[in-house]
mmCIF file of all heavy atoms in Angstrom:
data_model
loop_
_atom_site.group_PDB
_atom_site.id
_atom_site.type_symbol
_atom_site.label_atom_id
_atom_site.label_comp_id
_atom_site.label_asym_id
_atom_site.label_seq_id
_atom_site.Cartn_x
_atom_site.Cartn_y
_atom_site.Cartn_z
ATOM 1 N N ILE A 216 -6.056 -87.187 22.242
ATOM 2 C CA ILE A 216 -6.122 -87.139 23.729
ATOM 3 C C ILE A 216 -6.850 -88.292 24.310
ATOM 4 O O ILE A 216 -6.431 -88.954 25.208
ATOM 5 C CB ILE A 216 -6.699 -85.730 24.181
ATOM 6 C CG1 ILE A 216 -5.818 -84.585 23.782
ATOM 7 C CG2 ILE A 216 -7.015 -85.766 25.639
ATOM 8 C CD1 ILE A 216 -6.410 -83.230 23.928
ATOM 9 N N ARG A 217 -8.014 -88.585 23.724
ATOM 10 C CA ARG A 217 -8.912 -89.607 24.201
ATOM 11 C C ARG A 217 -8.280 -91.044 24.189
ATOM 12 O O ARG A 217 -8.318 -91.777 25.111
ATOM 13 C CB ARG A 217 -10.263 -89.632 23.458
ATOM 14 C CG ARG A 217 -11.388 -90.456 24.025
ATOM 15 C CD ARG A 217 -12.544 -90.483 23.079
ATOM 16 N NE ARG A 217 -12.159 -90.999 21.720
ATOM 17 C CZ ARG A 217 -12.556 -90.350 20.533
ATOM 18 N NH1 ARG A 217 -13.373 -89.440 20.624
ATOM 19 N NH2 ARG A 217 -12.096 -90.831 19.439
ATOM 20 N N ASP A 218 -7.589 -91.255 23.032
ATOM 21 C CA ASP A 218 -7.116 -92.554 22.752
ATOM 22 C C ASP A 218 -5.584 -92.692 23.193
ATOM 23 O O ASP A 218 -4.992 -93.766 23.024
ATOM 24 C CB ASP A 218 -7.093 -92.876 21.255
ATOM 25 C CG ASP A 218 -8.619 -92.825 20.769
ATOM 26 O OD1 ASP A 218 -9.511 -93.020 21.581
ATOM 27 O OD2 ASP A 218 -8.725 -92.541 19.577
ATOM 28 N N GLY A 219 -5.059 -91.721 23.879
ATOM 29 C CA GLY A 219 -3.615 -91.862 24.434
ATOM 30 C C GLY A 219 -2.571 -91.828 23.258
ATOM 31 O O GLY A 219 -1.621 -92.433 23.358
ATOM 32 N N GLU A 220 -2.901 -91.130 22.179
ATOM 33 C CA GLU A 220 -2.093 -91.062 21.059
ATOM 34 C C GLU A 220 -1.392 -89.723 20.780
ATOM 35 O O GLU A 220 -1.092 -89.349 19.682
ATOM 36 C CB GLU A 220 -2.813 -91.472 19.799
ATOM 37 C CG GLU A 220 -3.112 -93.023 19.898
ATOM 38 C CD GLU A 220 -4.028 -93.578 18.857
ATOM 39 O OE1 GLU A 220 -4.504 -92.761 18.067
ATOM 40 O OE2 GLU A 220 -4.183 -94.749 18.817
ATOM 41 N N MET A 221 -1.378 -88.915 21.882
ATOM 42 C CA MET A 221 -0.661 -87.597 21.773
ATOM 43 C C MET A 221 0.842 -87.974 21.400
ATOM 44 O O MET A 221 1.452 -88.897 22.044
ATOM 45 C CB MET A 221 -0.714 -86.764 23.079
ATOM 46 C CG MET A 221 -2.137 -86.343 23.385
ATOM 47 S SD MET A 221 -2.101 -85.405 24.980
ATOM 48 C CE MET A 221 -1.473 -83.809 24.405
ATOM 49 N N THR A 222 1.389 -87.152 20.532
ATOM 50 C CA THR A 222 2.821 -87.456 20.213
ATOM 51 C C THR A 222 3.725 -86.943 21.471
ATOM 52 O O THR A 222 3.281 -86.273 22.347
ATOM 53 C CB THR A 222 3.323 -86.614 18.952
ATOM 54 O OG1 THR A 222 3.140 -85.262 19.306
ATOM 55 C CG2 THR A 222 2.349 -86.929 17.817
ATOM 56 N N LEU A 223 4.983 -87.471 21.385
ATOM 57 C CA LEU A 223 5.853 -87.044 22.488
ATOM 58 C C LEU A 223 6.113 -85.556 22.482
ATOM 59 O O LEU A 223 6.088 -84.917 23.485
ATOM 60 C CB LEU A 223 7.219 -87.749 22.155
ATOM 61 C CG LEU A 223 8.000 -88.368 23.398
ATOM 62 C CD1 LEU A 223 7.084 -89.114 24.311
ATOM 63 C CD2 LEU A 223 9.249 -89.007 23.006
ATOM 64 N N ARG A 224 6.185 -85.006 21.272
ATOM 65 C CA ARG A 224 6.339 -83.583 21.141
ATOM 66 C C ARG A 224 5.088 -82.840 21.744
ATOM 67 O O ARG A 224 5.252 -81.842 22.506
ATOM 68 C CB ARG A 224 6.387 -83.247 19.586
ATOM 69 C CG ARG A 224 6.709 -81.835 19.309
ATOM 70 C CD ARG A 224 6.521 -81.628 17.821
ATOM 71 N NE ARG A 224 6.338 -80.224 17.477
ATOM 72 C CZ ARG A 224 7.370 -79.441 17.134
ATOM 73 N NH1 ARG A 224 8.599 -79.935 17.114
ATOM 74 N NH2 ARG A 224 7.190 -78.148 16.850
ATOM 75 N N GLU A 225 3.852 -83.363 21.592
ATOM 76 C CA GLU A 225 2.669 -82.736 22.153
ATOM 77 C C GLU A 225 2.654 -82.862 23.660
ATOM 78 O O GLU A 225 2.335 -81.985 24.387
ATOM 79 C CB GLU A 225 1.407 -83.407 21.574
ATOM 80 C CG GLU A 225 0.905 -82.980 20.268
ATOM 81 C CD GLU A 225 -0.305 -83.630 19.689
ATOM 82 O OE1 GLU A 225 -0.362 -84.901 19.768
ATOM 83 O OE2 GLU A 225 -1.245 -82.983 19.290
ATOM 84 N N GLN A 226 3.019 -84.045 24.200
ATOM 85 C CA GLN A 226 3.128 -84.193 25.652
ATOM 86 C C GLN A 226 4.154 -83.281 26.240
ATOM 87 O O GLN A 226 4.027 -82.863 27.388
ATOM 88 C CB GLN A 226 3.437 -85.716 25.964
ATOM 89 C CG GLN A 226 2.313 -86.572 25.638
ATOM 90 C CD GLN A 226 2.570 -88.052 26.016
ATOM 91 O OE1 GLN A 226 2.693 -88.275 27.240
ATOM 92 N NE2 GLN A 226 2.626 -88.958 25.076
ATOM 93 N N ARG A 227 5.285 -83.116 25.555
ATOM 94 C CA ARG A 227 6.357 -82.181 26.012
ATOM 95 C C ARG A 227 5.809 -80.793 26.110
ATOM 96 O O ARG A 227 5.940 -79.926 27.029
ATOM 97 C CB ARG A 227 7.601 -82.191 25.098
ATOM 98 C CG ARG A 227 8.833 -82.427 25.899
ATOM 99 C CD ARG A 227 10.083 -82.584 25.136
ATOM 100 N NE ARG A 227 10.344 -83.958 24.660
ATOM 101 C CZ ARG A 227 10.546 -84.432 23.465
ATOM 102 N NH1 ARG A 227 10.547 -83.479 22.445
ATOM 103 N NH2 ARG A 227 10.791 -85.631 23.172
ATOM 104 N N GLY A 228 5.027 -80.349 25.042
ATOM 105 C CA GLY A 228 4.387 -79.086 25.047
ATOM 106 C C GLY A 228 3.418 -78.864 26.062
ATOM 107 O O GLY A 228 3.279 -77.817 26.666
ATOM 108 N N LEU A 229 2.735 -79.928 26.268
ATOM 109 C CA LEU A 229 1.683 -79.854 27.416
ATOM 110 C C LEU A 229 2.333 -79.798 28.796
ATOM 111 O O LEU A 229 1.810 -79.122 29.758
ATOM 112 C CB LEU A 229 0.809 -81.174 27.384
ATOM 113 C CG LEU A 229 -0.286 -81.270 28.418
ATOM 114 C CD1 LEU A 229 -1.286 -80.147 28.324
ATOM 115 C CD2 LEU A 229 -1.038 -82.631 28.237
ATOM 116 N N GLY A 230 3.537 -80.439 28.948
ATOM 117 C CA GLY A 230 4.284 -80.344 30.162
ATOM 118 C C GLY A 230 3.787 -81.428 31.166
ATOM 119 O O GLY A 230 4.210 -81.409 32.309
ATOM 120 N N LEU A 231 2.903 -82.263 30.750
ATOM 121 C CA LEU A 231 2.296 -83.246 31.614
ATOM 122 C C LEU A 231 2.267 -84.633 30.874
ATOM 123 O O LEU A 231 1.898 -84.662 29.628
ATOM 124 C CB LEU A 231 0.836 -82.955 32.072
ATOM 125 C CG LEU A 231 0.629 -81.657 32.797
ATOM 126 C CD1 LEU A 231 -0.877 -81.241 32.916
ATOM 127 C CD2 LEU A 231 1.224 -81.790 34.211
ATOM 128 N N PRO A 232 2.630 -85.779 31.516
ATOM 129 C CA PRO A 232 2.571 -87.088 30.742
ATOM 130 C C PRO A 232 1.139 -87.459 30.589
ATOM 131 O O PRO A 232 0.262 -87.285 31.573
ATOM 132 C CB PRO A 232 3.312 -87.998 31.777
ATOM 133 C CG PRO A 232 3.246 -87.376 33.117
ATOM 134 C CD PRO A 232 3.097 -85.880 32.875
ATOM 135 N N TRP A 233 0.820 -88.060 29.475
ATOM 136 C CA TRP A 233 -0.567 -88.535 29.269
ATOM 137 C C TRP A 233 -0.879 -89.744 30.218
ATOM 138 O O TRP A 233 0.016 -90.551 30.428
ATOM 139 C CB TRP A 233 -0.721 -89.098 27.761
ATOM 140 C CG TRP A 233 -2.074 -89.389 27.500
ATOM 141 C CD1 TRP A 233 -3.088 -88.661 26.957
ATOM 142 C CD2 TRP A 233 -2.779 -90.655 27.643
ATOM 143 N NE1 TRP A 233 -4.241 -89.338 26.876
ATOM 144 C CE2 TRP A 233 -4.129 -90.563 27.327
ATOM 145 C CE3 TRP A 233 -2.357 -91.951 28.234
ATOM 146 C CZ2 TRP A 233 -5.104 -91.669 27.460
ATOM 147 C CZ3 TRP A 233 -3.260 -92.971 28.381
ATOM 148 C CH2 TRP A 233 -4.638 -92.816 27.925
ATOM 149 N N SER A 234 -2.091 -89.723 30.712
ATOM 150 C CA SER A 234 -2.620 -90.903 31.438
ATOM 151 C C SER A 234 -4.084 -90.849 31.405
ATOM 152 O O SER A 234 -4.628 -89.770 31.068
ATOM 153 C CB SER A 234 -2.129 -90.828 32.978
ATOM 154 O OG SER A 234 -2.616 -89.639 33.598
ATOM 155 N N GLU A 235 -4.735 -91.905 31.729
ATOM 156 C CA GLU A 235 -6.257 -91.927 31.679
ATOM 157 C C GLU A 235 -6.707 -90.854 32.676
ATOM 158 O O GLU A 235 -7.731 -90.152 32.424
ATOM 159 C CB GLU A 235 -6.753 -93.256 31.995
ATOM 160 C CG GLU A 235 -6.817 -94.131 30.763
ATOM 161 C CD GLU A 235 -7.468 -95.479 30.990
ATOM 162 O OE1 GLU A 235 -8.254 -95.629 31.965
ATOM 163 O OE2 GLU A 235 -7.080 -96.399 30.279
#
Side-chain angles (χ1 to χ4, degrees):
I216 292 172
R217 191 185 54 222
D218 301 335
E220 288 170 358
M221 292 177 80
T222 64
L223 217 53
R224 188 190 160 92
E225 279 179 311
Q226 292 183 64
R227 232 179 269 131
L229 180 61
L231 301 169
W233 186 92
S234 62
E235 277 182 27

